[in-house]
Amino acid sequence: ILDGPDYELRQRAVRELARRVKRGASGFSFVDFSLDRARTLEGRAAAIGGSCRFYSASVQAAMLRLLGDSNADLRRLACAAISRHVPRALVDEPLLDALSGLVVYEVSNAVQRAASLALGSALSLLHPESTPARASSIVLVMALEALDHGDPHLRQGVIQAIGRSGVVGLNRLHEMILGEDPRLKESAVGALESLRTRAAASLIDEILAVDLETLSEDQWVRLLTAYRYVIEEPPHSMAPLTEWLASHPEAPPRAQMAALESIGLSREFSADVGDSKLIEDAALRLLSHNESATRIAATRAIGNAKLKSLSKNLVTSLADTSRDVTERRVIVEALGRLRAEKIYFK
């Protein structure tokens, strides 16, 4: 049955065999079955799943052997098994070397993606400053750079692997941004805006301390925009971004707008808390910009952030007939948002 064509029957066979093995009523070996090339591909794949119910050093040794199998699906499944089940005690140099080799040399994109994720899982179990962790994290970074214009699904898998690796992977991204290589900077920015995790947002908080010249205007805009896509509980604090916006009036208007919009859209920000004065000053600065596109974006951000104290400024702008219809319509929309907050004009 385990070798048969029916998927449901194979899964039932795996469950029953696993039950008997646990009771000691059977000497069946999922590991031996998965390594037996005489068996069908479907049967060997099912046996990999069965062996994971008893994950141990011997099972991991079998998975490492399967990483070199001629069938790509079995290699991928072996990577997935390691990714989901490897414990800290079994993360060693042979495992890291085998996974790193697949990340670099594997010809199948699906297997390379699975190997990257498995490597990220293994690295998350190591101390971030250990030599094996640093060496293997560089492999993921090299893969990311090589895939800048490659398969987007594979590239996203490598980015997810870097995020999964934890501090060690994020440290490599930080180093790339602080470095001199523009290609590495671009790869790191792309990874950070794709991760959408609290850890990535915390790293962006650290990056806010660097000079404006470290990144291009477009890269700053992308990083500052990335905050609004981090949806975790509790929400990420907007305090570092608020302080950056208040202390960088010389930043490009697009970057300031990206920061203001991210703060306004954040569930963590409240216009009634102390940081609102810093936000209001930045919003007023952008509201008086000489470009209408910047003023329009600032107006929308004021509405989203519920900055009720700026309602009079918006009314003054609305009364300015020199402003075009589009801008004045956006002002009306923003006032409508503020009106819902029970403000009263005098």
Side-chain angles (χ1 to χ4, degrees), residues 7 21 43 60 68 105 164 191 197-198 200 222 242 277 296 303 305 308 322 327 335 345:
Y7 173 79
V21 170
Q60 181 160 298
Y105 300 112
R164 183 180 291 186
T197 62
R198 187 190 309 281
R222 288 159 57 197
T242 300
K277 183 63 171 65
I296 288 173
K308 295 177 286 187
S322 66
E327 182 176 352
L335 287 170
F345 300 109

Side-chain angles (χ1 to χ4, degrees), residues 10 54 102 106 132 136 138-139 162 196 218 220-221 227 229 231 274 285 295 308 318:
R10 290 198 304 272
F54 309 94
L102 285 180
E106 174 59 52
S136 297
I138 292 174
V139 172
I162 292 174
R196 303 185 178 189
D218 178 68
W220 274 117
V221 170
Y227 279 105
Y229 303 124
I231 304 177
R285 187 168 66 236
R295 295 196 301 270
K308 295 177 286 187
L318 181 62

